[in-house]
Amino acid sequence: MQQSAQTSSSGNAEVLRGGGVELHIAPDGVALVPMSITDERRPDAAEWSEVESVEAEEGRGRLTLTFRGSRDPWTITGAARPEVLWAQDGIERELDRARAREHEAFRGRASLEKIAAALKQFGDDVSPQPTVIAELLCVQAARNRATDVHLQPVRGQMKARMRIDGQLMEAGEIPREVGARVIARLKVLAQMRSYTADGPQTGRLIMPVDERTIDVRLTTMPTIHGEKLTLRIFDPATQWIDLDGLGMDEETLTRYRRIVDSPTGCVITTGPAGAGKTTTTYASLAALRDAE
């Protein structure tokens, strides 16, 4: 007797149950997991780059995934029509996102010009990818050592800006309605109220970047053109740095070292948000510690 499929949520994965197995659909791939607790087989998992297509047979309650290479297809049986169609839609949605993530703007550290070109391409697409756009902004902000990302609605557009070395720099534009979906997606990830935009909100999320994770603080504010979002990036890769890594020219660095090494006086660190005041202070304290 075939078991009826059911859908549920498990962590970040959506789950389809049927035929004694669970199909886990997550942003990083799919996994086929036996439901029997006595079955000691390891879950069979695949990344989205391995998935070639998904086919739903509504009348037979069957969902089949085919893969590139020699991997055998996966088949889920005993599923009701709504669950089969729901799973097919979810898989195709994640496949579209995976293909979008193959864009060259995701490879290494991209220039602001390349980021702007990617935002235009994603924003003008027939099926925009707000999740991918949100990931691109956060990932490239971390790689470009940006401290802030601003999404500012203007007439018909949503402007993206990044604060790099204390300077707020243009990073591209997307249609305003697409930008609103990007903000809504980030609010969901940060467990903020995505259904309201008439008051300020704050939130926080953790996002993987390369082989580390960054801490992102979100602040939203209503404006006459729509909701504005500011992302504050806290990247552990940039938290600890010595004086040589601050980017000062040789003459300025020599003078600053002389000041730091002076037995009397004080150093006042000033500048706009994200200019590097805290980083400079910690680098100076580290230099004093190493001199002892």
Side-chain angles (χ1 to χ4, degrees), residues 8 17 29 45 52 78 82 89 97-98 125 138 153 176 178 194 206-207 215 219 236 243 248-249 264 274 290:
S8 66
R17 296 188 178 97
E52 186 168 24
D89 180 70
R97 291 174 180 170
D125 196 357
C138 291
R176 194 169 70 180
V178 177
S194 61
I206 303 296
M207 179 169 289
D215 187 359
T219 302
L243 290 177
M248 298 181 183
D249 60 65
T264 60
D290 294 340

Side-chain angles (χ1 to χ4, degrees), residues 182-250:
V182 173
I183 292 176
R185 178 58 180 165
L186 285 166
K187 289 169 67 176
V188 168
L189 293 175
Q191 298 182 346
M192 299 163 65
R193 298 189 305 275
S194 61
Y195 53 84
T196 179
D198 57 357
Q201 293 188 64
T202 59
R204 175 187 177 189
L205 64 88
I206 303 296
M207 179 169 289
V209 175
D210 300 329
E211 296 182 355
R212 65 188 188 278
T213 57
I214 61 173
D215 187 359
V216 183
R217 311 289 173 86
L218 294 81
T219 302
T220 62
M221 186 69 66
T223 73
I224 60 173
H225 295 298
E227 192 172 32
K228 173 186 176 180
L229 173 68
T230 300
L231 307 173
R232 190 73 190 271
I233 310 294
F234 294 88
D235 186 354
T238 62
Q239 295 302 305
W240 300 103
I241 193 169
D242 58 19
L243 290 177
D244 292 327
L246 291 177
M248 298 181 183
D249 60 65
E250 186 174 351

Side-chain angles (χ1 to χ4, degrees), residues 8-10 12-16 23-26 86 90-91 93-94:
S8 66
S9 176
S10 175
N12 290 328
E14 296 174 326
V15 181
L16 173 71
L23 181 67
H24 292 239
I25 308 167
W86 164 85
I91 292 171
R93 183 176 63 248
E94 292 295 348

Side-chain angles (χ1 to χ4, degrees), residues 4-292:
S4 297
Q6 300 177 1
T7 59
S8 66
S9 176
S10 175
N12 290 328
E14 296 174 326
V15 181
L16 173 71
R17 296 188 178 97
V21 296
E22 292 181 344
L23 181 67
H24 292 239
I25 308 167
D28 54 350
V30 287
L32 196 64
V33 184
M35 291 178 62
S36 173
I37 60 174
T38 61
D39 195 330
E40 297 182 354
R41 290 180 298 164
R42 295 176 61 85
D44 195 1
E47 296 181 356
W48 288 115
S49 59
E50 302 175 65
V51 179
E52 186 168 24
S53 64
V54 55
E55 180 181 354
E57 299 178 62
E58 305 170 32
R60 303 179 63 181
R62 175 179 296 177
L63 186 77
T64 301
L65 275 74
T66 56
F67 302 91
R68 299 182 177 89
S70 59
R71 184 192 292 266
D72 294 332
W74 294 352
T75 300
I76 304 284
T77 58
R81 178 177 180 272
E83 285 81 9
V84 168
L85 297 179
W86 164 85
Q88 182 187 34
D89 180 70
I91 292 171
E92 290 178 344
R93 183 176 63 248
E94 292 295 348
L95 279 172
D96 288 341
R97 291 174 180 170
R99 295 186 184 107
R101 292 186 186 101
E102 294 176 356
H103 193 281
E104 62 177 355
F106 277 93
R107 302 170 195 162
R109 178 178 174 180
S111 65
L112 294 179
E113 291 77 12
K114 186 175 291 186
I115 295 171
L119 290 179
K120 177 174 175 53
Q121 180 177 334
F122 291 149
D124 292 343
D125 196 357
V126 176
S127 301
Q129 297 287 346
T131 298
V132 176
I133 293 174
E135 291 176 5
L136 175 65
L137 289 171
C138 291
V139 167
Q140 286 301 338
R143 290 175 179 168
N144 280 276
R145 302 172 70 90
T147 57
D148 302 89
V149 177
H150 294 254
L151 288 176
Q152 174 71 51
V154 293
R155 295 180 181 274
Q157 297 291 323
M158 182 77 73
K159 286 184 175 293
R161 299 184 178 95
M162 292 185 183
R163 188 181 298 279
I164 302 174
D165 294 332
Q167 297 185 2
L168 199 57
M169 307 174 72
E170 299 289 339
E173 296 180 350
I174 51 178
R176 194 169 70 180
E177 60 274 12
V178 177
R181 292 171 59 188
V182 173
I183 292 176
R185 178 58 180 165
L186 285 166
K187 289 169 67 176
V188 168
L189 293 175
Q191 298 182 346
M192 299 163 65
R193 298 189 305 275
S194 61
Y195 53 84
T196 179
D198 57 357
Q201 293 188 64
T202 59
R204 175 187 177 189
L205 64 88
I206 303 296
M207 179 169 289
V209 175
D210 300 329
E211 296 182 355
R212 65 188 188 278
T213 57
I214 61 173
D215 187 359
V216 183
R217 311 289 173 86
L218 294 81
T219 302
T220 62
M221 186 69 66
T223 73
I224 60 173
H225 295 298
E227 192 172 32
K228 173 186 176 180
L229 173 68
T230 300
L231 307 173
R232 190 73 190 271
I233 310 294
F234 294 88
D235 186 354
T238 62
Q239 295 302 305
W240 300 103
I241 193 169
D242 58 19
L243 290 177
D244 292 327
L246 291 177
M248 298 181 183
D249 60 65
E250 186 174 351
E251 181 182 356
T252 302
L253 180 60
T254 300
R255 292 173 58 194
Y256 186 73
R257 283 188 181 277
R258 189 180 306 118
I259 294 172
V260 171
D261 292 337
S262 176
T264 60
C266 69
V267 176
I268 300 175
T269 309
T270 65
K277 300 184 294 295
T278 302
T279 302
T280 301
T281 301
Y282 275 106
S284 303
L285 292 173
L288 289 173
R289 179 200 59 196
D290 294 340
E292 292 180 353

